[in-house]
Amino acid sequence: MTTNLAERVANRRNHVPARQSAQHGAAAQPTLVQFVQSMRGEIARALPAHVANPERIARIALTELRRVEHLAECTQESFGGALMTCAQLGLEPGGALGEAYLLPFWNKKVRAYEVHLVIGYQGMIRLFWQHPAAAGLATHTVHENDEFAFEYGLTPVLRHKPARSNRGRPTDYYAVATMANGGSAFVVFSVEDVEAIRQRSKARDFGPWATDYDAMARKTCIRQLFKLLPKSSELARAVAHDEGVRRDASPEGLDVPPDYVEGEVVEQAPTQQAVEDVPEEFTGWPEAAEPAASQ
């Protein structure tokens, strides 16, 4: 599956639309480079206390401008918004660690490229472990020759015994979390479930879906699992901004729901039980804002 996606990405890159002239790309890149340089002070002020290297964030952003096709042609507003979201969440905006990805999309309404921020598998995990009540998080791929069984309900069951060899093709993905108070929850997605969600993503044919399908499938499980768990404000914001466009690079912009491309369907969480015995101090913690589905 990944190979086919990679081939489609290569084919797409071989076809350059008329609107993307070499002259336009060459002119846009210095502008965004200068823009990133000018944002270093804002990045430094936005970084959480445990992340104290604004120069690294800026260097990674400049590297991504050179590495990712059409990223240098994106609007300054969307690039600055995505970069500030990464800074405020303490995530590195590049594919090396898999914490966050800056992906360009063509917005037909404004006839310009805009940056969509995709929170990666490792980024979601990192934000989960910043929660003071986090006790455990695991994601796994189930193969056809593994022993696997699960049940939802009042007495949920999850059992997975991987085959020692010849595991066969993947059939399911799951994520399970435990909290310090003993509460737990899990979600299971079949390959078909994951593929249906991938098809609804604007980044379905390139970016991490093309290069790291297995990690993105597990991230899909984690993202849905987080809807059942108490969240820190950072995690709630990350889920809200995942695959969105932020055009406000001010510190307050992180609390404003991002824009989603018209026609994009946001995946809905399956009906599962939530974590039991959530501590009282987590009552009222912010939940991720989900955009309304297009009619």
Side-chain angles (χ1 to χ4, degrees), residues 168-186:
R169 62 181 179 82
T171 59
D172 299 274
Y173 299 90
Y174 68 90
V176 57
T178 55
M179 308 304 287
N181 67 336
S184 65
F186 67 86

Side-chain angles (χ1 to χ4, degrees), residues 28-36 65 71-76 79:
Q29 183 163 343
T31 302
L32 271 183
V33 168
Q34 294 171 359
F35 182 63
V36 171
L65 281 174
L71 188 59
E73 302 171 51
C74 291
T75 63
Q76 288 188 359
F79 190 90

